[in-house]
Structure formats: C-alpha cells, structure tokens
C-alpha cells in the first residue's frame, strides 16, 4: 500500500475517499476501523460504521473478526434505516406527543415494507371499487408498492408528501387522463398517512420524517448520539438517499474522525432514491480528498473498452484480439434460449473442472426467472455443480416448505373458506409424509374431492379399497397427521400454530421435515413474517384474530409477502455458482473471475421500470419542479444507466465476460437492445480496423 | 473430527449456559447454526407477552437513565398494554435504584479478550462511582429464583470477570439484581479479586474444554428433563409436546437470553 495513503488513513482526520469499483476503497475502510480500535486508549470512543445496505457490512464484520480486542463492543455496523428505526423506537416518548399521533403515549407499531403494502391495500381496495385507478393496468401488488414508494421518496428526498401528485402531474407530457391517476395516488397516500397517525403505525416514511424533523433537532437525542459515536466510517455513500447525507453533513463537526467512501461510477439504486450527486458534498466538507484508481494496464483497458462501447465515436485504443481476450461469445450461433443455457452450463463445467473456484463465477441477467434457475441448475447438477440464486424479492409462497405450512393452516381453519387445489394437497401430503408416494396421496385427495367436505378424511372413513393400499406405518402416520389437524383447529395465532406444526408433527421422526435441516430456517422465516404482520396491528386496532390469520395467509398466497431475509448460509456457500439480477450483483460489491451475461438483447439492462404511479427521477432532489419529463430524458437516462452498468461490471470482472446470446431470447422474442447494438458495433469497428491494417 | 468453532466466536452467558446444559444443543445452535423453531412452551402466547412486557420495561429504564422526564415515562407505563409494566416501573421508582449517582451507562455491552478467547456481556446498567463499578440487572421473573441459584448462574460469575478484564477495574465489584416482582429484597453480590480470579480459572477451563472437543464429543444430555424445554426435541427424537409455562425455571430460559452477536448491532 502507498505509504502516504496509509499514513493519512491512520490518523484522526476527516477524509473523502473515492474511486472506481474494486480499487480497494472498502479495504481502506476496514484498515481504518482496525486502526481506530488499536489506537483507542482510556475512554471508550464509539465507532459508527454506516453502510448503505446490509450485505455491504460483511467486509467490516470480517475485519472485526480479525481483531481480538474488547473494544469491539464500541463498534456499531448499521444502515441508516436501521439507526432510524432503533432511535425512533427508543426516543418515542419524546416525540410521539408532538407528531400528530392519536395515541402518543402508547407504543407504536413499526411497519415493514410488506405490512405497509398490506395497509395500503386496505385503503386502496375500496377506492378501486369506486373506480379509482381504472385507467392503470397494474397488478394489485405493484400498484400498492408504487404508492408506498411514493411516500418513501417524499421522506428520503425531502419534500412534503402532499406534493407527490402535483410533482408527477407537472412533469407529465402524455394523455391528460394520467393526471387523474396521479390525483388518485395522492388521495391514497393522504388517506394512508391519516390511518397511520390514527393507529400509531410507523411506516418507513414516517420513521424517516420523525427522525429528521423531531429527533434530529432534540438536544437530548443529539447528546445521546454524540456519546454513542465519536468516529464515523461511511461506505458506499452514493447508494444512500439525500436525507442520509443531510444528517451526516450536519453531524460532521461533532465527529472526531470521519471517512466517507464513494464509488465514482455507481448510484445503482437510484430507483430507490440513491443520490451520488448529493453524496459528493463530502468532498468539500472533508479535510482531505483521496482518489483511488487502479493503474494496471488491464484496468486501463477495461475502462477504455467500456467507454468505447458507449461512445461510437471514441477512437479504438485496442485491437480485436484484446477484445476477444476479455469478451467471449458462443463459438456457434445459438437459436433458442434453453440451448443457450445448456451451452453456458457446459462452459461453466469446463472452467470448474479446469480448477476455477465456483465462487469466482457469476451468471447475471436483468431479470432472473424461476425457469432459468431451474434449467441452469439442472444442467449444472448433472456435473455436480451447485447453483445458488440471490434475488431481491422472491416471494415466500415460492418455497415448498412454506407451501406445506400454509396448506396445513388452511386445512385447520375451514372457517376461512379458502379454496384448495387437490393437486396441491396431493403433493403437500406426499411431502409431509415421506412414506406416502404421490399415488397414495392422490387416492386420499381424490376421495376428499368426492366428499366435497374440504377436509382430509379420517382414516376410519376411507373406503376400504383405499385403506387396503396403505401399510400399517402409512396408516399410522396419516392418523397422526389428521389427529393433529383436528386438535389444532382454531389456533389463530399462526406463529404459535406453525411452531407447533413444525415441532409436534412435521419435524418428528417419520415426517417430511425431520431430516430436512433447511426446513427449520424456512419455517422460522414464515414465523418471523407472521410475527411482524401481527405486531403491525399493535394493541389498538380491534381485529378478529382469525380474520388476521386469514389475511396473512391470503397475503402469502398472493405473493405480497416477500422472503427478504439475508440468507447468510447461501452467501457463504463458496462451492456454488451464483445467479443473480445484474443490479443485485453490482450491489454486492464483489469482483469475480468470470461473468456470464444472459438476455443481452433485453432493454432491462438500462431502461427504467415501467412505473405509472411513480417516477424515480421526477421525485428526486435533482429534478427541477415544473420541468417536463420527455423521451429525450428517457434516452439520456438509459444511456447513463448503461454506462454505469458497463463500467461497474467490467470493474468487477477479473478475467472474462461471456456474452451468452441467442437469436430468440428467454421470452421467445428477437430482442436487440442498446447493449447488443453497442457491442456489435465495437466488434465491427475492431474487425474493420484489423482489416484496414 | 475436530469441530470448527469460528475463530472470532465470542463466549457469552447464554451460549455457555447452553453448553453446560447440553453439549449437543451447543453444537447444533452455535456450530451448525441450525434453526429449529419448535415451541419452547405450550403457553407460547403467555411466554411472548411476558417477554415483550419485559422488553418494554427494560426500555423504560433505559430511557430513564438516558434522562427522559420521569412523568412522561410514568405516562408511557400507564398506557402500556400490559398492566405489569406500570407496577414494575412504579416499584422501581420507589426503590433506591432510581436514585443512583456517578457515571451511569444503561444497556452497556463489553467484550474481553481473556487468554486469546473473546467474551461478551450485556449489562442492563453499569455504574461507576467512587472509583468502583456496580453492575445492575433487572429481572421480571414469573418464578423468583433463589439467591443460591443466582449466585451459581453463569451470568453472576461471568459479568464481574469480563468487567474486570475489559476495564481493568478496582475491586470489589458489586453485582445488584433487582427482581421487580419482589422489590423489597434486592440481591447484591460483592466480588473480591480472588473470587474473580476463581471465576477466571473456571471459565478458562470450561472454554478450553469446548475448543478442544471433537465433533462426536458434543454428546446429547442424559437428563431428559432438559430436553423437555429444548426446541431440538424432535430433531433428537426426545419428545413431542412442549411443557406449560409453569414448568419452566429461570435456568430453562437463560440460554434464550442471547447477549448479541459479535457485538456489532447490524440492522
Ligand atoms: S433435545 Fe435434549 S439432547 Fe437434543 S439438543 Fe436438546 S437438550 Fe440436547
């Protein structure tokens, strides 16, 4: 390491450190953390390590693992939303009574993203029946998530939530009818906020507003915070929204030392409010600004290549063989997507068998579908290679263990009157009792269907021709299962229900979860999700517990509740190939040796999502209120996104990018988006230059 | 085969207690990281209410020691959904513990590196006054543990040791336990240097033993009573139903009071 740099990072000062991805910035952050711990003498001095998302905490946790000092208890690794939530909870008595809540002296209930959407649904459903949002074609879940997102944007960007509709409307240039939709959206968020205030519910937007407007100005709070934290290390500041930068800038003078780290070509989460421009203010606040750049020939060439792909007019600084040595394409033309996945699996297998570590390989695509995971996983499994996926919003209902638990909940609550598919009961029955095969399970469900009772028949009620086909052990298991359901009918606290179901039945010897160690963590996920759901109802809202449980089950079934848990196990699985959406990979901040890009013709590599009820740029701080959002803005944004993505991916690739392209994409279309066009142009230009030479 | 206890593993009241009750449970929970969400008690809702009420009460005391207005906190306690919280808080305010002076650190976590091994404790309150440290612990037990049970608990031995190592404290160290359901009889243990040295020897032997164990040496306990309140009972084929809450003792619950993971409070 550069000695001067090392000295700067090993002293009590305020530094802004920026540079491209994988230039070692986080490594310096970790070094700084160790330095601060080693220097701490006498009075304890708290260190706040602020990261923009949970997964980015791992390098700092790893660094802490290497330090054997009791001072570790002085370190808090937090995201700002974690800090906000924790502080609003602790300081609630000081702010509840001055913030418009109806019951300020009672404990508030914190909402998760999912429970916010659930409550938004309760507001919006009657509106939809009255004809609101009639011109928008969106699934209910997407409609709810965009409405909640609007409120969050207002809070994290810093404008009144009552101006959301006006801002969106003023920027709109299309049909007038869309403006009516923005008015509907405004009405929905107003009603949602009023509902939260009446019922002591704290969604994310309210937590942020309380923190900024009431806590931050409270002297007791500031004194408390200053006692807690004396040093700051703030990594990936560009991925945070501007309110976080406002807070840190205001807090700046109170820190004894500070290190803010920024990735120059990032801000990948701008659709969630990330604002690199706002983060760059720390450059002027800091005593020292340090720029890190990877100066190897290889890094230079990758930078040049990314820049030349984006800009057709930029003169080529490299030859065709240089491109081929970094960007690989299939040797033969591939027409269909499944064929392409086979080819990718073969290429990966060759690499792994040739000694490449599976965790040095990533497969990325703008969107990762279940069928891609299944097919690629299946192909790789033939060669004993594991595939693991990391997707931001997999739904709870997608997990077979959860399907089993939910089905039992429905069977034990006939009063909910929720319909059940016989095929599903068959497969769950076979899953719950390994002694059963699908044929035996089907015999029972077929009988169940014929009686139209909606419940599993008792063993004694089974026709002889069915019971004759079950051996004693199978009968015994089936009896235990049906008895358990009978005994637990009407247990409405579903956390309790699932816990019993897991412990007393499904994980017992002879049942499906007994030797399935993963089933424990998956059941725990569902229990936690229900606990949060139930907690969001607090103590104030009078609700029938049976109805509440039914609402939860319906929410899981509809896909509203997501399994948004950081799965430590899968992250640590070094023996599996990772498949993940491109944005998730960029957010991981990790370099790999080999990248396989799927669906390269898709516009998903750069286009913003179609969101008729919100807009990430119009609701950002850099947007000039009153300006119109036009097609030129969209084109410019797409180009900027593509540029950021290309630089980000190239910087995170040590050896080779494999452009896995087929004539027909996953959706069966012939797609030729900007990425394909720009890369083809690069190859053509390089070929022409070679021929000219 | 030798087990892989992570190099940065931090011993705590909770995980040591687990080990002492059942080596296999320690192995499943802390080495394998196996989540097994079976019930601890068949009265899960009562248990949860107790736990949540305890958490809110601890939070009130945290706020009290930060310096919140007392009347405001009384108002919060009056509006708490569980009437016990107001009772506990009122009892606390009448106790001498509400009038502490010196330097007060509520919810204080400390680490110590003892002979190359990390230990973690989380105290409800740490007081530094007249050159001496006092540790405070608030308990809201349904079944009030005896003085002897408390004295022999991992917590009582471990806290003064970690405190003395981490802060090079003077002796004696006082450890005060206020049982809110019996406020008229607070318990204080006073630890001299030789007593803490004895605890040190005990914990060094114990942790050396844990670190030296082979995988097959993490036996299942032969005390089936312990399995009754263990979430892994189905995994070990040691029972089906969880016991009622009245069958639980403090010792059953102590290993569920996790003291934090690596002392980094990531959210
Ligand atoms: S069930 Fe018994 S043997 Fe098994 S881990 Fe629990 S306490 Fe140990």
């Amino acid at each position: 390491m550069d000695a001067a740099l090392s000295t700067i990072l090993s002293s009590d000062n305020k530094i802004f450190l920026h540079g491209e991805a994988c230039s070692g910035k986080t490594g310096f952050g970790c070094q700084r953390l160790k330095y601060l711990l080693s220097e701490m003498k006498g009075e304890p001095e708290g260190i706040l390590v602020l990261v923009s998302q949970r997964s980015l905490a791992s390098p700092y946790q790893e660094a802490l693992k290497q330090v054997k000092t009791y001072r570790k208890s002085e370190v808090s690794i937090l995201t700002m939303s974690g800090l906000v939530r924790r502080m609003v909870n602790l300081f609630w008595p000081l702010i509840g009574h001055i913030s418009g809540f109806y019951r300020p002296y009672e404990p508030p209930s914190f909402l998760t993203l999912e429970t916010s959407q659930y409550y938004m649904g309760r507001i919006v459903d009657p509106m939809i029946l009255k004809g609101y949002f009639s011109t928008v074609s969106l699934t209910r879940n997407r409609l709810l998530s965009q409405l909640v997102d609007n409120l969050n944007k207002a809070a994290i960007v810093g404008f009144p939530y009552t101006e959301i509709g006006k801002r969106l409307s003023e920027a709109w240039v299309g049909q007038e009818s869309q403006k009516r939709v923005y008015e509907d959206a405004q009405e929905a968020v107003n009603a949602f906020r009023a509902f939260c205030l009446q019922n002591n519910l704290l969604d994310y937007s309210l937590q942020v507003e309380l923190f900024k407007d009431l806590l931050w100005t409270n002297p007791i709070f500031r004194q408390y915070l200053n006692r807690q934290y004396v040093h700051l290390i703030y990594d990936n500041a560009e991925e945070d929204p501007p309110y976080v930068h406002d807070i840190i800038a205001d807090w700046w003078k109170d820190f004894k030392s500070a290190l803010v780290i920024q990735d120059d070509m990032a801000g990948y989460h701008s659709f969630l409010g990330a604002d690199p421009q706002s983060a760059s203010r720390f450059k002027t606040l800091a005593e020292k600004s340090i720029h890190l750049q990877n100066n190897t020939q290889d890094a230079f060439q990758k930078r040049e290549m990314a820049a030349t792909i984006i800009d057709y007019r930029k003169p080529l600084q490299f030859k065709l063989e240089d491109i081929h040595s970094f960007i690989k394409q299939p040797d033969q033309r591939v027409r269909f997507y499944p064929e392409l996945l086979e080819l990718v699996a073969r290429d990966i297998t060759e690499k792994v068998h040739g000694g490449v570590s599976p965790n040095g390989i990533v497969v990325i695509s703008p969107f990762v579908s279940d069928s891609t995971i299944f097919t690629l996983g299946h192909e790789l499994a033939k060669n004993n290679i594991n595939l693991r996926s990391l997707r931001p919003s997999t739904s709870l209902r997608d997990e077979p263990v959860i399907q089993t638990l939910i089905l039992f909940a429905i069977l034990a609550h006939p009063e909910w009157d929720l319909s059940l598919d016989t095929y599903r009961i068959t497969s769950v029955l076979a899953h719950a009792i390994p002694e059963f095969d699908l044929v035996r399970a089907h015999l029972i469900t077929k009988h169940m269907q014929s009686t139209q009772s909606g419940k599993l028949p008792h063993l004694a009620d089974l026709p002889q021709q069915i019971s004759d086909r079950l051996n004693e052990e199978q009968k015994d298991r089936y009896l235990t299962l049906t008895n358990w359901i009978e005994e637990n009918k009407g247990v409405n606290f579903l956390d309790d229900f699932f816990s019993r179901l897991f412990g007393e039945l499904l994980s017992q010897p002879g049942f499906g979860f007994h030797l399935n160690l993963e089933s424990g963590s998956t059941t725990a996920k569902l229990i936690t999700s229900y606990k949060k759901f139930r907690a969001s109802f607090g103590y104030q809202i009078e609700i029938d517990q049976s109805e509440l449980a039914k609402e939860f089950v319906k929410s899981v079934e509809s896909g509203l509740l997501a399994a948004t848990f950081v799965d430590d196990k899968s992250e640590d699985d070094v023996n599996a190939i990772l498949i993940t959406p491109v944005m998730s990979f960029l957010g991981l901040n990790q370099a790999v040796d080999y990248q396989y890009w799927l669906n390269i013709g898709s516009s998903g590599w750069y286009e913003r999502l179609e969101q008729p009820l919100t807009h990430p740029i119009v609701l950002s701080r850099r947007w000039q209120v009153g300006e119109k959002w036009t097609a030129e803005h969209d084109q410019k944004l797409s180009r900027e996104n593509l540029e950021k993505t290309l630089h980000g991916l190239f910087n995170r690739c040590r050896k080779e990018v494999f452009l896995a392209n087929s004539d027909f994409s996953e959706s069966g279309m012939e797609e030729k988006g900007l990425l394909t066009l720009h890369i083809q142009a690069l190859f053509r230009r390089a070929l022409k230059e070679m021929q000219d030479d | 085969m030798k087990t892989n206890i992570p190099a940065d593993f931090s011993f705590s009241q909770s995980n040591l207690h687990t080990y002492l009750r059942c080596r296999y449970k320690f192995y499943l929970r802390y080495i394998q990281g196996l989540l097994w969400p079976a019930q601890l008690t068949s009265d899960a809702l009562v248990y949860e209410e107790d736990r949540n009420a305890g958490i809110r009460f601890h939070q009130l005391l945290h706020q009290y020691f930060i310096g919140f207005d007392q009347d405001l906190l009384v108002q919060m306690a009056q509006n708490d959904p569980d009437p016990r919280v107001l009772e506990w808080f009122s009892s606390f305010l009448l106790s001498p513990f509400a009038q502490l002076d010196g330097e007060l650190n509520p919810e204080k976590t400390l680490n110590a590196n003892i002979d190359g091994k990390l230990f973690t404790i989380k105290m409800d309150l740490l007081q530094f006054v007249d050159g001496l440290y006092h540790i405070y612990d608030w308990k809201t037990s349904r079944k009030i543990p005896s003085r002897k049970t408390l004295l022999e608990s991992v917590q009582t031995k471990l806290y003064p040791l970690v405190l003395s190592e981490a802060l090079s404290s003077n002796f004696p160290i006082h450890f005060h336990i206020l049982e809110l359901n019996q406020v008229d009889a607070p318990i204080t243990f006073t630890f001299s240097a030789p007593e803490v040295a004895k605890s040190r020897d005990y914990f060094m032997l114990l942790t050396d033993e844990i670190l030296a164990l082979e995988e097959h040496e993490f036996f299942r306990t032969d005390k089936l009573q312990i399995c009754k309140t263990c979430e892994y009972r189905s995994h070990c084929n040691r029972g089906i139903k969880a016991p009622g809450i009245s069958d639980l003792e403090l010792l059953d619950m102590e290993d569920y009071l996790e003291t934090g993971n690596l002392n980094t409070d990531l959210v």
Side-chain angles (χ1 to χ4, degrees):
Chain A
M1 186 209 307
D2 182 280
L5 189 58
S6 166
T7 318
I8 295 167
L9 288 170
S10 310
S11 54
D12 279 351
N13 47 17
K14 293 181 180 168
I15 299 172
F16 179 71
L17 177 66
H18 65 116
E20 62 192 8
C22 298
S23 52
K25 301 182 299 298
T26 298
F28 283 116
C30 294
Q31 186 197 323
R32 171 87 155 196
L33 176 62
K34 289 185 196 166
Y35 163 78
L36 291 173
L37 283 168
S38 67
E39 282 301 293
M40 218 180 277
K41 306 264 156 37
E43 281 294 293
E45 296 181 343
I47 303 170
L48 173 62
V49 179
L50 197 62
V51 289
S52 57
Q53 62 183 71
R54 285 182 61 167
S55 58
L56 299 178
S58 342
Y60 292 96
Q61 287 172 321
E62 286 302 317
L64 270 187
K65 285 182 186 176
Q66 292 156 20
V67 184
K68 283 217 161 187
T69 162
Y70 69 87
R71 296 288 190 182
K72 277 159 82 158
S73 55
E74 305 299 331
V75 181
S76 296
I77 307 179
L78 293 164
T79 59
M80 194 56 157
S81 30
L83 182 71
V84 164
R85 195 200 135 112
R86 195 172 278 202
M87 291 301 122
V88 169
N89 187 32
L90 182 59
F91 284 82
W92 172 255
L94 298 190
I95 53 176
H97 59 292
I98 46 170
S99 45
F101 285 91
Y102 284 30
R103 286 183 279 261
Y105 300 108
E106 292 173 21
S109 302
F110 287 81
L111 298 185
T112 60
L113 185 59
E114 287 85 6
T115 48
S116 299
Q117 288 180 20
Y118 170 78
Y119 280 110
M120 187 63 91
R122 284 177 52 157
I123 304 282
V124 164
D125 286 343
M127 293 175 74
I128 292 175
L129 286 178
K130 285 188 199 153
Y132 284 70
F133 302 107
S134 56
T135 54
V136 188
S137 57
L138 272 180
T139 62
R140 181 176 177 273
N141 289 355
R142 288 195 60 211
L143 184 133
L144 301 180
S145 86
Q146 288 179 34
L147 290 172
V148 169
D149 190 45
N150 276 339
L151 260 176
N152 293 345
K153 288 270 161 52
I156 63 180
V157 169
F159 61 87
Y161 72 92
T162 47
E163 284 181 12
I164 294 167
K166 184 168 164 273
R167 283 180 179 235
L168 291 168
S169 206
E170 281 179 359
W172 178 251
V173 290
Q175 287 186 340
E176 276 301 296
S177 60
Q178 176 64 18
K179 294 192 175 175
R180 174 71 232 166
V181 174
Y182 293 142
E183 284 170 26
D184 293 353
Q186 185 65 63
E187 215 174 309
V189 296
N190 291 353
F192 176 80
R193 176 57 65 89
F195 184 82
C196 288
L197 292 173
Q198 275 164 20
N199 295 291
N200 270 27
L201 300 177
L202 293 178
D203 71 318
Y204 177 59
S205 71
L206 254 172
Q207 293 170 34
V208 170
E209 284 182 22
L210 292 180
F211 185 88
K212 288 188 312 184
D213 302 339
L214 299 178
L215 271 189
W216 194 249
T217 49
N218 183 307
I220 299 183
F221 172 70
R222 291 295 292 274
Q223 198 187 355
Y224 172 82
L225 216 52
N226 286 341
R227 273 186 70 179
Q228 298 290 312
Y229 305 117
V230 176
H231 302 279
L232 170 75
I233 297 173
Y234 179 19
D235 202 348
N236 281 101
E238 78 288 347
E239 298 298 340
D240 263 332
Y243 95 92
V244 182
H245 308 138
D246 296 343
I247 296 287
I248 297 297
D250 202 35
W251 197 350
W252 194 253
K253 57 184 181 317
D254 298 330
F255 287 118
K256 193 166 157 190
S257 86
L259 170 66
V260 177
I261 299 175
Q262 182 168 351
D263 190 335
D264 284 339
M265 285 293 277
Y268 301 117
H269 295 94
S270 57
F271 61 99
L272 293 174
D275 194 334
Q277 213 173 317
S278 157
S280 61
R281 72 179 84 173
F282 296 107
K283 192 170 186 167
T284 37
L285 280 177
E287 291 154 13
K288 248 207 154 38
S289 169
I290 304 172
H291 181 233
L292 279 187
Q293 181 154 305
N294 198 337
N295 287 324
T296 61
Q297 175 61 21
D298 187 43
F300 171 78
Q301 201 148 18
K302 277 191 240 166
R303 267 197 299 275
E304 276 299 307
M305 229 178 261
T308 318
I309 291 174
I310 294 297
D311 188 353
Y312 293 127
R313 290 156 309 176
K314 190 169 169 30
L316 288 181
Q317 303 269 13
F318 38 81
K319 298 196 178 338
L320 186 62
E321 60 260 36
D322 296 328
I323 306 177
H324 281 306
S325 71
F326 183 60
I327 303 176
K328 191 177 157 185
Q329 288 181 301
D331 297 334
Q332 79 251 33
R333 182 172 166 202
V334 182
R335 280 181 63 70
F336 300 104
Y337 187 71
E339 229 180 291
L340 182 75
L341 293 181
E342 282 174 28
L343 185 141
V344 167
R346 274 200 306 277
D347 204 82
I348 290 177
T349 306
E350 259 174 46
K351 294 216 163 59
V352 172
H353 289 173
V356 176
S357 164
N359 73 346
I361 298 175
V362 68
V363 181
I364 51 179
S365 173
F367 312 103
V368 175
S369 65
D370 289 340
S371 60
T372 298
I373 296 174
F374 178 79
T375 312
L376 190 61
H378 182 71
E379 289 300 320
L380 289 169
K382 288 180 190 166
N383 296 301
N384 296 324
I385 298 172
N386 292 334
L387 183 73
R388 67 182 173 109
S389 64
L390 182 74
R391 289 186 290 176
S393 54
T394 43
S395 169
L396 272 177
R397 69 168 168 191
D398 296 338
E399 314 236 17
V401 165
I402 285 177
Q403 285 173 7
T404 302
L405 296 162
I406 290 289
L407 184 118
F408 272 88
I410 297 175
L411 285 172
H413 295 86
E415 70 279 12
W416 292 346
D417 207 15
L418 294 177
S419 62
L420 281 172
D421 178 325
T422 12
Y423 291 106
R424 192 172 150 200
I425 305 177
T426 305
S427 68
V428 163
L429 210 50
H431 189 203
I433 308 180
E435 283 280 326
F436 270 33
D437 48 25
L438 281 171
V439 177
R440 275 163 188 79
H442 180 63
L443 286 173
I444 290 174
T445 47
K446 219 169 111 194
H447 177 69
M448 178 182 170
Q449 202 177 16
S450 71
T451 62
Q452 292 193 328
S453 63
K455 63 177 208 173
L456 287 173
H458 268 287
L459 186 66
D461 297 337
L462 283 177
Q464 187 156 3
Q465 70 270 29
I466 299 179
S467 60
D468 281 352
R469 296 186 62 179
L470 305 178
N471 65 30
E472 286 313 305
E473 209 159 357
Q474 287 165 339
K475 281 183 189 163
D476 191 45
R477 300 268 186 275
Y478 183 70
L479 189 63
T480 310
L481 184 144
T482 46
N483 282 348
W484 190 92
I485 294 178
E486 275 306 309
E487 276 169 28
N488 288 280
K489 274 193 172 156
V491 175
N492 286 325
F493 286 88
L494 285 187
D495 38 356
D496 188 25
F497 177 86
F498 292 134
S499 193
R500 280 175 199 233
L501 174 61
F502 178 84
E504 296 175 5
L505 187 77
L506 297 176
S507 68
Q508 287 290 335
F511 288 89
F513 294 180
H514 184 62
L515 294 174
N516 175 357
L517 301 187
E518 285 295 308
S519 69
S521 53
T522 312
T523 307
K525 260 189 223 177
L526 186 67
I527 292 174
T528 307
S529 182
Y530 180 72
K531 276 190 192 296
K532 287 184 180 168
F533 188 78
R534 182 154 67 82
S536 76
F537 286 83
Y539 311 95
Q540 294 82 27
I541 302 168
E542 285 306 318
I543 187 158
D544 177 335
Q545 287 297 329
S546 169
E547 271 305 302
L548 177 80
K550 180 180 172 183
E551 285 296 314
F552 176 78
V553 167
K554 278 166 60 187
S555 300
V556 175
E557 296 265 90
S558 72
L560 180 69
L561 297 180
T564 45
F565 288 79
V566 177
D567 186 349
D568 297 331
K569 270 231 171 80
S570 69
E571 287 199 350
D572 289 347
D573 189 355
V574 292
N575 290 317
I577 308 287
L578 174 67
I579 180 166
T580 184
V582 58
M583 282 304 147
S584 303
F585 174 65
L586 290 169
L588 283 179
N589 243 356
Q590 277 171 13
V592 292
D593 291 329
Y594 298 95
Q595 294 176 0
Y596 289 80
W597 297 5
L598 301 179
N599 290 312
I600 66 163
S602 163
S603 58
W605 287 87
Y606 47 85
E607 260 181 13
R608 72 184 170 91
L609 286 175
E610 173 65 15
Q611 291 180 308
L613 296 185
T614 185
H615 197 299
I617 310 297
V618 169
L619 298 185
S620 74
R621 201 175 276 187
R622 69 174 137 135
W623 184 251
Q624 199 65 43
V625 178
E627 210 184 321
K628 301 284 179 202
W629 180 267
T630 62
E632 286 79 56
H633 284 104
D634 257 325
Q635 278 167 10
K636 187 166 169 276
L637 181 68
S638 290
R639 203 186 134 93
E640 281 171 10
N641 285 346
L642 186 60
E643 189 175 3
K644 269 197 294 202
T645 305
L646 270 179
H647 277 283
L649 289 176
F650 280 12
N651 280 332
R652 288 167 175 79
C653 184
R654 289 185 286 259
K655 292 190 175 147
E656 184 184 280
V657 168
F658 188 108
L659 299 179
N661 199 20
S662 52
D663 293 352
F664 295 94
S665 70
E666 185 175 3
S667 53
M669 316 270 276
E670 279 190 277
E671 289 178 326
K672 278 216 174 348
L674 275 184
L675 179 60
T676 316
L677 295 177
H678 280 254
I679 289 184
Q680 282 175 350
L682 176 78
F683 276 107
R684 268 200 309 276
R685 287 172 64 197
L687 186 64
K688 185 163 181 302
E689 279 206 4
M690 191 180 84
Q691 286 163 348
D692 290 350
D693 284 348
Chain B
M1 194 171 67
K2 188 97 180 66
T3 48
N4 284 324
I5 294 188
D8 63 311
F9 188 81
S10 194
F11 292 101
S12 66
Q13 161 200 355
S14 176
N15 59 39
L16 288 170
H17 181 79
T18 302
Y19 177 81
L20 290 170
R21 283 169 73 76
C22 175
R23 288 180 177 192
Y24 189 57
K25 184 171 177 178
F26 177 92
Y27 172 78
L28 291 176
R29 196 190 274 180
Y30 299 105
I31 301 178
Q32 274 217 327
L34 180 64
L35 278 177
W36 210 247
Q39 285 184 312
L40 301 180
T41 157
S42 55
D43 300 309
L45 295 173
V46 181
Y47 172 68
E48 189 184 277
E49 269 173 26
D50 284 1
R51 200 165 176 268
N52 288 344
I55 290 172
R56 291 195 301 274
F57 170 71
H58 274 75
Q59 172 141 313
L60 275 178
L61 291 207
H62 188 179
Q63 291 159 339
Y64 178 82
F65 286 109
I66 289 174
F68 286 24
D69 178 58
Q70 188 175 313
D71 294 340
L72 191 61
L73 294 179
V74 169
Q75 211 164 349
M76 291 299 295
Q78 281 166 344
N79 283 281
D80 194 279
D82 193 320
R84 288 175 298 176
V85 172
L86 177 62
E87 280 169 34
W88 294 332
F89 192 56
S90 308
S91 306
F92 166 78
L93 289 177
L94 292 173
S95 78
F97 296 92
Q99 313 296 334
L100 300 176
D101 48 16
E103 195 189 308
L104 301 173
N105 288 293
E107 297 296 321
K108 181 74 185 164
T109 300
L110 278 182
N111 288 142
N113 180 353
I114 312 178
D115 284 358
K117 285 169 282 189
L118 265 184
F119 290 80
T120 303
I121 57 170
K122 188 166 180 192
M123 294 162 285
D124 289 340
L125 179 72
L126 177 65
Q127 178 195 30
F128 185 62
V129 66
D130 300 331
L132 293 177
Y133 283 105
H134 296 250
I135 300 168
Y136 293 86
D137 195 57
W138 327 121
K139 293 201 189 294
T140 53
S141 321
R142 254 176 198 268
K143 272 194 180 176
I144 295 170
S146 68
R147 187 183 166 91
K148 185 168 172 284
T149 307
L150 289 172
L151 181 62
E152 286 168 1
S153 75
V154 174
Q155 183 190 31
T156 312
K157 284 189 258 186
L158 185 67
Y159 279 30
L161 168 66
V162 172
L163 175 71
S164 72
E165 294 276 340
L167 301 181
S168 312
S169 67
N170 294 325
F171 290 97
I173 295 170
H174 301 278
F175 192 157
H176 310 273
I177 297 171
L178 180 63
E179 176 54 74
L180 270 304
N181 291 319
Q182 197 179 25
V183 272
D184 48 346
I187 292 176
T188 297
F189 299 113
T190 302
F191 292 90
S192 62
E195 280 163 325
V196 170
K198 227 170 105 188
S199 297
R200 192 182 198 281
D201 293 344
Y202 170 75
F203 285 115
M204 288 306 99
L205 273 176
L206 182 66
T207 49
D208 284 344
E209 174 186 293
I210 297 174
L211 293 173
L213 286 186
E214 302 277 325
E215 198 174 298
H216 67 271
E217 290 174 305
F218 284 91
F219 313 121
R220 293 169 197 220
T221 178
D222 49 15
K223 294 188 185 113
L224 296 184
Q225 181 65 20
I226 292 180
C227 302
K228 274 190 175 179
T229 54
C230 172
E231 72 267 34
Y232 296 115
R233 74 187 88 80
S234 60
H235 179 77
C236 296
N237 199 5
R238 294 243 174 135
I240 296 176
K241 289 201 188 279
I245 201 157
S246 53
D247 294 331
L248 299 184
E249 301 287 342
L250 173 76
L251 286 183
D252 293 322
M253 306 326 297
E254 199 174 345
D255 60 349
Y256 292 95
L257 308 169
E258 189 48 79
T259 51
N261 179 19
L262 292 175
N263 321 311
T264 58
D265 46 1
L266 175 72
V267 224

